[in-house]
């Protein structure tokens, strides 16, 4: 794995954008997951993903293969940035209202998270077609519910309620294993 | 519409990033002040996090990264 990492980093240092794209395809999902677990906000999590890869592109020499995999290096950058965002948000809002505390996560918890992930994705496949389609387009396609409604030619209210009912079922499935 | 009920109904969509900017801001502002909605957020955020953990890389974010690199 390390040899692959070193080869990939060498290509990125040479300015090979396809190498970065390959890296993104391999770990972009996990990077977003880490950011989301801290931030609980899709838009901010995607900003962190973008920052993480742009930062790495601009300074690939900061990766040291002796200290770990490229994957954990990127997850660590993303986690640190996400925590920074939560802290600045908390500092800002503490003056106005009580805000949710930042949720610290351990990058090494990935194994447990992956088993939860399999459960929820199995539950996703068992949703009604309309629910699954709306959630998938919104979440994995990055569309708003209004955009999903236009894409599917359905009323916005229908899409909204399908997302809500689908998410409710997924949360029940998750509560069953996480409890 | 009661602002709490409105925000509460939108929390699952907020969690998925499926709201437009104005709705997102409204829900975010309400969340700061409402424990019930924060609890609802925690439930749905756990689902979204589990969906993401094993998820493929988000292609629309790759397009944004490319645009950022083009800008230098």
């Amino acid at each position: 794995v390390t040899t692959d990492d070193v080869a990939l980093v060498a290509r990125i240092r040479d300015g090979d954008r396809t190498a970065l794209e390959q890296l993104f395809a391999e770990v972009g999902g996990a990077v977003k997951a880490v950011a989301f677990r801290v931030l609980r906000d899709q838009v901010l999590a995607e900003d962190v993903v973008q920052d993480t890869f742009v930062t790495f592109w601009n300074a690939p020499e900061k990766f040291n293969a002796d200290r770990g995999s490229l994957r954990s290096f990127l997850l660590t950058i993303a986690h640190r940035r996400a925590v920074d965002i939560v802290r600045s948000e908390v500092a800002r809002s503490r003056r106005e209202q009580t805000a949710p505390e930042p949720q610290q996560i351990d990058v090494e918890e990935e194994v447990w998270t992956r088993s939860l992930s399999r459960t929820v994705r199995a539950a996703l496949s068992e949703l009604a077609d309309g629910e699954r389609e709306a959630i998938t387009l919104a979440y994995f396609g990055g569309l708003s519910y209004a955009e999903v409604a236009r894409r599917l030619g359905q009323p916005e209210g229908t899409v909204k309620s399908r997302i809500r009912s689908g998410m409710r079922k997924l949360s029940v499935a998750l509560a069953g294993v996480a409890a | 519409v009661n602002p709490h009920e409105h925000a509460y109904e939108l929390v699952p969509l907020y969690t998925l990033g499926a709201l437009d900017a104005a709705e997102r801001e409204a829900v975010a502002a309400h969340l700061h002040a409402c424990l019930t909605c924060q609890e609802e957020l925690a439930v749905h955020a756990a689902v979204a996090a589990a969906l993401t953990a094993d998820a493929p890389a988000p292609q629309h974010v790759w397009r944004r990264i490319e645009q950022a690199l083009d800008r230098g």
Side-chain angles (χ1 to χ4, degrees), chain B:
Chain B
V1 186
N2 172 329
H4 165 71
E5 279 174 21
H6 186 61
Y8 187 85
E9 285 208 328
L10 291 180
V11 164
L13 291 97
Y14 174 87
T15 320
L16 293 179
L19 297 178
D20 67 33
E23 287 170 317
R24 185 174 110 80
E25 306 249 315
V27 172
H30 177 78
L31 272 167
H32 278 303
C34 179
L35 274 179
T36 309
C37 283
Q38 285 175 26
E39 282 165 15
E40 183 72 357
L41 175 69
V43 168
H44 290 288
V47 172
L51 279 174
T52 313
D54 228 7
Q59 273 313 305
H60 58 282
V61 180
W62 172 250
R63 289 191 289 277
R64 284 172 44 188
I65 291 169
E66 283 199 300
Q67 285 162 9
L69 298 185
D70 288 341
R71 286 195 300 271

Side-chain angles (χ1 to χ4, degrees), chain A residues 104-173:
Chain A
Q104 293 285 352
I105 63 121
D106 180 356
V107 172
E108 301 303 319
E109 281 175 11
E110 264 197 295
V111 175
W112 168 239
T113 309
R114 277 174 179 241
S115 89
L116 294 184
S117 177
R118 276 192 293 277
T119 302
V120 171
R121 289 170 79 80
L124 180 68
S125 71
E126 285 166 18
L127 294 181
D129 289 346
E131 291 170 339
R132 183 176 56 253
E133 194 172 37
I135 289 173
T136 304
L137 281 172
Y139 196 45
F140 299 115
L143 301 183
S144 70
Y145 73 84
E147 289 166 336
V148 172
R150 277 200 294 280
R151 174 84 64 97
L152 299 178
Q154 290 166 357
E156 289 183 6
T158 304
V159 169
K160 246 164 129 170
S161 64
R162 283 179 175 168
I163 292 177
R164 278 207 306 272
S165 61
M167 285 295 283
R168 179 65 55 202
K169 290 176 192 168
L170 297 183
S171 71
V172 169

